[in-house]
Amino acid sequence: MPTLAPRKIKVWLLAACAGSLVVLLHNFAIPLLPEVRIAIPTNSIQPETTGHVSHAYASPIAAKLGASPNDHCIVALFEDGQPLPTHRTDENAIRNNGHGLYLIRNGRLIFSASDNTDPRTNGRDYDAYYTPLRSRSIGCAAAVIFAAVTVGLYRLNRRTSPPAVSIASVATEAAPRRFKLHLAGAAFLLLVGLYVSTGTLSPYAHNAPPHVDPASGYLYNLDHVHFKVLFQFLDGADRSVWDGALFLRRILFPVLAYPFMKLWGFEIGGTLASLLLNVSGFIAFILIVRRFTGERAAVFAAWLLALYPGAAYWGGLPYVYSTIFPFSLLLTGGLLALHRGNSPARVAVISLLMGIAYLGYDLVFYFLPASILLLLWRRQVVSAVLSGACQVIPLLAWLMFLRHGLGQSLTNSNSATFDIVLKAYLHPGDLARWWEIAQAAPGIGLSVFFASNFIFLPAVFLLLLAVNAVTSRIVLHPVESVLLAVAAALFFFNHLAPDYAGPWQMRGTWISRLYQPIFPALVLFAARWFQGLPPLAPAPRFSLAAILLAAGIGNALIVFGPLLFNPLALSETAFFSFYDCGANPAGYEQNLQQHGRRPLGF
């Protein structure tokens, strides 16, 4: 491999990249050092008086934990040895609701007892656990170092040409038969991961106290009835059953799964349809990557996605959320097709198909602006207007039918949330509180980046982004750039808003799942990097292979963790960080112990 920069400088920069990435993981993903326990003295606890009934109490013990203001993601609070429910960024939720919610703000631990009793007199012990060298200030410093060192690597090599892939490496392109074997093997592994996420093992079923099927004992999410009513709507149920249903706007999955649900019932038939849809979307995306990038890239993407926990999280249940994984992949394929350049008729067809996909889940917030930005990037203004119009037609048509044909309101507690956030910008209120919220956004953003795609895929992306400077030397594809840019814009819209009240807080680490749809951009970059990877010396080749293997093992421990008794508590940590929704982190394993570890058929 030709020398791209002075060897010692390059080695030191790569070492700094690796070290800062480890610190990033420690602070914003998975703690790598053992926890330290600090008891909270009863005499340090004071009530949070607000002029009305409040369940909130505060202790200055946070200062002894080494936690800076708003470092609420790094401290775990236990009551008599049992973990309390998750932290929130909304202090009002602690005051008004309580039941064990807690956070750290302005150097104080603000919390509530599990039963809203007075923690000074209820006779219980409260202990805070923190991990050394784990705070937002340290993590953000590591992020700055990682970014600076990565930029340094690129600047050192800016005057050299990207390394050419040798004839020998081109010859390693998978033969058609070998490619099919790779695709079949990866698809089978994905299917196995999806299957062991069914029955009592589905992570989303454990997100809150589960709905237990009385006949089979399988577990479903607490909102099970809201999803089942969509099948009943299609099956001709009386209006009283589905009138005002929460998810009627997301009708595509029940339509696709209806034959399965009709034959085998909503739960079993819908789950089988979900498995089929996820595997089909996976295969289609790999074929798209093969067409647009190459077979090496497609094989790499296939194995990278085969153990992706974001498919297993949703795919083992008969819910509309099971479309997130396959439709995000297919919509990314649509962006690739639009970027290639097409006739107006082809743009219209691709855009209409993308619009139909938006009837499955609210991916319109990502892929509609991304497609418009992509076409404007290519200075195709007419195509951008045409594409945008065609993408919204299916969704608007269905919404108008719901409103005027079925008399359904288009506003509910979910859909009204973004309106609440927008109004907060128009009426900012307390500017000091707004500044406090804005200061917390960068650290929350780093936590969300790792949690939204289950730790290891984002870590692989960051690693390859740095290593790319001295290996493949590819640049971000416009499709990757616009998708990441839209996600960043959505994040800052949610997290820089002034303080507001409402049924949902759209900021904080509790709802990292909102940003899951960026995963195709991460996978696509990694696949293109591998496609252009030149031959490497044994040492760097072995190092990269070991790191990628470790990431694969990490994903496997998350996907198969529920079945394997949660080794290292990795699956529990990853699933809880992805979406906690007020659930008790320990409840996940407790549910498995109570209801068993049984996929469909057991």
Side-chain angles (χ1 to χ4, degrees), residues 178-228:
R178 291 184 59 194
F179 173 76
K180 291 178 182 178
L181 289 174
H182 279 289
L183 181 57
F188 177 74
L189 183 57
L190 174 68
L191 180 60
V192 172
L194 292 169
Y195 174 67
V196 299
S197 300
T198 62
T200 64
L201 293 160
S202 174
Y204 184 49
H206 297 267
N207 187 255
H211 168 85
V212 183
D213 185 270
S216 64
Y218 295 148
L219 303 187
Y220 298 93
N221 188 266
L222 192 64
D223 289 332
H224 186 72
V225 63
H226 296 299
F227 298 106
K228 187 172 183 177

Side-chain angles (χ1 to χ4, degrees), residues 87-94 96-97 101 103 105 413-414 417-418 420-421 424 433 437 444 493-512 514-515 579-581:
H87 42 263
R88 296 287 190 182
T89 56
D90 183 13
E91 192 172 332
N92 290 327
I94 303 176
N96 300 329
N97 302 327
L101 297 180
L103 57 77
R105 178 161 291 151
S413 60
N414 285 349
T417 302
F418 287 105
I420 294 173
V421 176
R433 171 70 179 129
I437 291 171
I444 293 175
F493 171 78
N494 287 332
H495 285 75
L496 295 182
D499 202 10
Y500 60 87
W504 293 95
Q505 285 286 319
M506 302 306 290
R507 54 172 158 239
T509 57
W510 75 279
I511 197 166
S512 301
L514 286 182
Y515 307 95
Y579 186 31
D580 69 49
C581 199

Side-chain angles (χ1 to χ4, degrees), residues 526-544:
R528 293 190 310 108
W529 168 84
F530 189 74
Q531 178 73 24
L533 187 64
L536 300 177
R541 184 170 68 246
F542 176 80
S543 299
L544 281 173

Side-chain angles (χ1 to χ4, degrees), residues 48-220:
E48 282 284 277
T49 56
T50 59
H52 59 83
V53 176
S54 173
H55 303 301
Y57 294 81
S59 170
I61 194 68
K64 298 180 182 179
L65 301 174
S68 60
N70 295 301
D71 271 353
H72 46 271
C73 70
I74 63 169
V75 175
L77 184 63
F78 283 69
E79 180 186 77
D80 277 348
Q82 295 298 317
L84 289 175
T86 184
H87 42 263
R88 296 287 190 182
T89 56
D90 183 13
E91 192 172 332
N92 290 327
I94 303 176
R95 292 186 180 125
N96 300 329
N97 302 327
H99 294 294
L101 297 180
Y102 64 92
L103 57 77
I104 287 180
R105 178 161 291 151
N106 295 329
R108 299 185 307 153
L109 174 64
I110 303 173
F111 71 103
S112 56
S114 60
D115 58 357
N116 288 339
T117 56
D118 188 334
R120 298 171 298 174
T121 59
N122 62 13
R124 297 169 194 163
D125 294 325
Y126 291 88
D127 302 297
Y129 287 80
Y130 81 103
T131 306
L133 302 178
R134 194 166 190 245
S135 71
R136 287 224 169 103
S137 55
I138 294 176
C140 288
V144 171
I145 293 172
F146 179 85
V149 171
T150 301
V151 170
L153 282 170
Y154 280 94
R155 287 186 63 83
L156 278 174
N157 300 312
R158 69 188 184 277
R159 294 176 181 173
T160 61
S161 301
V165 180
S166 70
I167 295 176
S169 66
V170 172
T172 63
E173 287 276 353
R177 183 177 178 182
R178 291 184 59 194
F179 173 76
K180 291 178 182 178
L181 289 174
H182 279 289
L183 181 57
F188 177 74
L189 183 57
L190 174 68
L191 180 60
V192 172
L194 292 169
Y195 174 67
V196 299
S197 300
T198 62
T200 64
L201 293 160
S202 174
Y204 184 49
H206 297 267
N207 187 255
H211 168 85
V212 183
D213 185 270
S216 64
Y218 295 148
L219 303 187
Y220 298 93

Side-chain angles (χ1 to χ4, degrees), residues 1 13-14 22 51 83 98 149 226 293 367 386 395 418 439 495 562:
M1 178 176 173
L13 288 178
L14 288 172
V22 169
V149 171
H226 296 299
T293 306
F367 290 93
L386 175 63
L395 185 58
F418 287 105
Q439 285 180 302
H495 285 75

Side-chain angles (χ1 to χ4, degrees), residues 189 192-193 196-197 303-304 306-309 312 454 456 548-564 566-567 570-571 575:
L189 183 57
V192 172
V196 299
S197 300
W303 290 109
L304 190 60
L307 287 169
Y308 172 60
F454 302 92
F456 295 103
L548 294 173
L549 178 62
I553 292 172
N555 278 334
L557 289 176
I558 296 174
V559 172
F560 295 100
L563 190 65
L564 302 176
N566 196 17
L570 189 56
S571 58
F575 290 139

